[in-house]
Amino acid sequence: MTLTVLYFAWLRERIGLPRETVETSAATVAGLVAELSAREDRYALAFSDLKAVRVALDQDLSDFDAPLDGVREVAFFPPMTGG
Amino acid sequence: MTLTVLYFAWLRERIGLPRETVETSAATVAGLVAELSAREDRYALAFSDLKAVRVALDQDLSDFDAPLDGVREVAFFPPMTGG
Amino acid sequence: MAVRVQAQAFDYGAECAAFAAGARGAGAVVTFAGLVRDNAGALTGMEIEHYPGMTERALAAIESEAVTRWSLEAALIIHRHGPLAPGDMIMMVATAARHRAEAFAAAEFLMDYLKSRAPFWKKEFTADRADWVAARDEDEDALKRW
Amino acid sequence: MAVRVQAQAFDYGAECAAFAAGARGAGAVVTFAGLVRDNAGALTGMEIEHYPGMTERALAAIESEAVTRWSLEAALIIHRHGPLAPGDMIMMVATAARHRAEAFAAAEFLMDYLKSRAPFWKKEFTADRADWVAARDEDEDALKRW
């Protein structure tokens, strides 16, 4: 499965890019995070405390247990600070 | 004692005047109301339900038990509807 | 900090802009505006009576309490009296504080007090009658939360 | 009902005036504006990052829920992104309802959701450092009341 993965705020800065295309067979968001973290230290560092990370699937807030089946766009970011 | 007595909203309309000067020896607001009500029906009618009447003494909200000693201006009006 | 009681209309947009511009130390600005609403489509007008002297005293006291209680950077109350038409703006309040919770609470406090403790009385006119607006129990109850 | 996400500044006074003019069936209009506050006098600027696409979806969903829940006559959300200076206005919301309780509740609901559920991230700059603003526990807690 081919996913567009987006990073925002300090996750974008730590990983060093705003978006990338990822080939994965991970079944869930947690599986994708494990794959990415295994790649390089910058990913492992960014994902080291998942309590500080939020995820959106196809632009809807979701969680790490969610399945990736049918998903096209995954975004990782810190807790939001709008308003 | 000489008081300026003011009436607002439907109290003004029922009594038929916005203000008057009253000579009284009433000790409290309730005493003043009794004196005025004894004068004429229009006063008795206006003061027939005191739950629907508010009073201010020298422009501060007060109540019917309050003494009139030292007071110069008494105002009667219905519950306020500002905003 | 300002209180204005006036018969003439005021420019809501200009008041909002000036208030925000004057509250630059604040992070949060809340405004409330009250308009003459025509419930049944039958209202031809409204007349607001007030108690000159006491009105200004009551509003200044309410505003002062709000400023102290929520450490406001700025506060504004404008209230009209006299004849008004449906859709006219009756009054506005504005509050500026460091954070939104304080600005919202102070604005709601000002409104709750204005509704039941400032000496204004509204009379509504339709084609064939005129009625003094009755105070609502829920407005009196709203005061209890402060 | 309108949602605008934009880099350019907006005219707060003009937006307030236009909103109130377009909500003439309402008796109550509430506006909230958020400004870049310089706590320690050391802030040189702020940068707001957002998630194009999701931002608009999230704001439209939040606004739609508020309109339904409080039977609003009108609602507005404007939120800037990009570089901002101290004192700049970051965003505003406006709500119009029949009565004040609904207009206030809807505006506070919109703000609580905007703070924690709309994909914006603030970075603050001083002369010698840059820090992402941390989400506050009390902002997350504020959501629980709705």
Side-chain angles (χ1 to χ4, degrees):
Chain A
M1 150 178 63
T2 306
L3 293 174
T4 299
V5 181
L6 308 180
Y7 309 103
F8 292 97
W10 59 255
L11 275 126
R12 173 180 53 72
E13 292 178 337
R14 285 197 198 164
I15 290 167
L17 51 119
R19 68 164 62 209
E20 61 184 319
T21 300
V22 174
E23 274 298 326
T24 179
S25 56
T28 64
V29 175
L32 174 64
V33 167
E35 279 188 14
L36 291 169
S37 297
R39 269 196 194 170
E40 284 183 54
D41 278 357
R42 57 194 170 109
Y43 290 96
L45 181 67
F47 290 117
S48 61
D49 179 11
L50 288 185
K51 285 197 302 298
V53 178
R54 301 287 178 271
V55 61
L57 300 183
D58 290 330
Q59 305 189 352
D60 282 323
L61 278 176
S62 187
D63 53 64
F64 291 94
D65 296 332
L68 289 176
D69 191 37
V71 169
R72 295 164 58 185
E73 183 172 296
V74 179
F76 295 106
F77 42 78
M80 295 157 273
T81 55
Chain B
M1 149 178 64
T2 307
L3 294 173
T4 300
V5 182
L6 309 180
Y7 309 103
F8 292 98
W10 59 255
L11 275 126
R12 173 180 54 71
E13 291 178 337
R14 285 196 199 165
I15 290 167
L17 52 122
R19 67 164 62 211
E20 61 185 318
T21 301
V22 174
E23 275 297 326
T24 181
S25 57
T28 65
V29 175
L32 174 64
V33 167
E35 278 188 14
L36 292 168
S37 296
R39 269 194 194 172
E40 285 184 53
D41 278 357
R42 59 196 168 108
Y43 290 96
L45 182 65
F47 289 116
S48 61
D49 178 12
L50 288 185
K51 286 197 302 295
V53 179
R54 301 288 177 270
V55 61
L57 300 183
D58 290 329
Q59 305 189 353
D60 283 322
L61 278 177
S62 187
D63 54 62
F64 291 94
D65 296 332
L68 290 176
D69 192 37
V71 169
R72 295 163 58 184
E73 184 172 296
V74 179
F76 295 106
F77 42 77
M80 295 156 273
T81 55
Chain C
M1 314 309 143
V3 166
R4 281 154 43 198
V5 181
Q6 60 190 51
Q8 66 271 28
F10 59 92
D11 183 336
Y12 171 62
E15 295 293 345
C16 288
F19 184 80
R24 290 282 160 160
V29 170
V30 170
T31 73
F32 176 92
L35 294 89
V36 179
R37 187 167 42 84
D38 180 4
N39 281 320
L43 196 74
T44 56
M46 175 182 278
E47 175 101 22
I48 298 182
E49 186 169 330
H50 78 120
Y51 182 171
M54 181 173 167
T55 309
E56 290 79 0
R57 277 168 60 98
L59 298 188
I62 290 166
E63 188 184 77
S64 174
E65 186 173 342
V67 167
T68 303
R69 201 152 152 182
W70 287 283
S71 302
L72 301 183
E73 307 281 339
L76 170 68
I77 302 174
I78 304 174
H79 205 301
R80 293 182 65 188
H81 57 84
L84 294 162
D88 278 0
M89 202 165 273
I90 301 170
M91 50 72 62
M92 70 173 286
V93 304
T95 59
R98 292 171 62 83
H99 297 294
R100 74 188 188 287
E102 288 75 23
F104 271 121
E108 293 193 61
F109 168 86
L110 287 177
M111 287 310 304
D112 285 349
Y113 270 80
L114 269 170
K115 281 274 171 190
S116 304
R117 291 290 182 273
F120 292 101
W121 301 275
K122 293 187 182 117
K123 193 173 194 174
E124 289 180 343
F125 295 85
T126 58
D128 55 358
R129 54 185 295 164
D131 293 293
W132 291 100
V133 174
R136 304 192 307 169
D137 287 343
E138 63 200 84
D139 284 334
E140 187 64 30
D141 291 346
L143 285 179
K144 292 175 186 153
R145 59 178 162 155
W146 304 111
Chain D
M1 314 308 144
V3 166
R4 280 154 43 198
V5 181
Q6 60 189 53
Q8 67 271 28
F10 59 91
D11 182 336
Y12 171 62
E15 295 294 345
C16 289
F19 184 80
R24 291 281 161 161
V29 170
V30 169
T31 73
F32 177 92
L35 294 90
V36 179
R37 187 167 41 84
D38 180 5
N39 281 321
L43 197 73
T44 56
M46 176 182 277
E47 175 101 22
I48 299 183
E49 185 169 331
H50 79 120
Y51 182 172
M54 180 173 167
T55 310
E56 291 79 359
R57 278 167 58 97
L59 297 189
I62 290 166
E63 188 183 78
S64 174
E65 186 173 343
V67 167
T68 303
R69 201 151 152 183
W70 286 282
S71 304
L72 301 183
E73 307 280 339
L76 170 68
I77 301 174
I78 304 175
H79 205 302
R80 294 182 65 188
H81 56 84
L84 294 162
D88 278 0
M89 202 165 274
I90 302 170
M91 50 72 62
M92 71 173 285
V93 304
T95 58
R98 293 171 61 82
H99 298 293
R100 75 187 188 288
E102 288 75 23
F104 272 120
E108 293 193 60
F109 168 87
L110 287 177
M111 287 310 304
D112 285 349
Y113 270 81
L114 269 170
K115 281 273 170 191
S116 304
R117 290 292 182 272
F120 292 101
W121 301 275
K122 294 186 181 119
K123 192 172 195 176
E124 289 180 343
F125 296 85
T126 59
D128 55 358
R129 54 185 294 165
D131 294 293
W132 291 100
V133 174
R136 304 192 308 169
D137 288 342
E138 62 200 86
D139 285 333
E140 187 65 30
D141 291 346
L143 285 180
K144 293 175 187 156
R145 58 178 163 155
W146 304 111

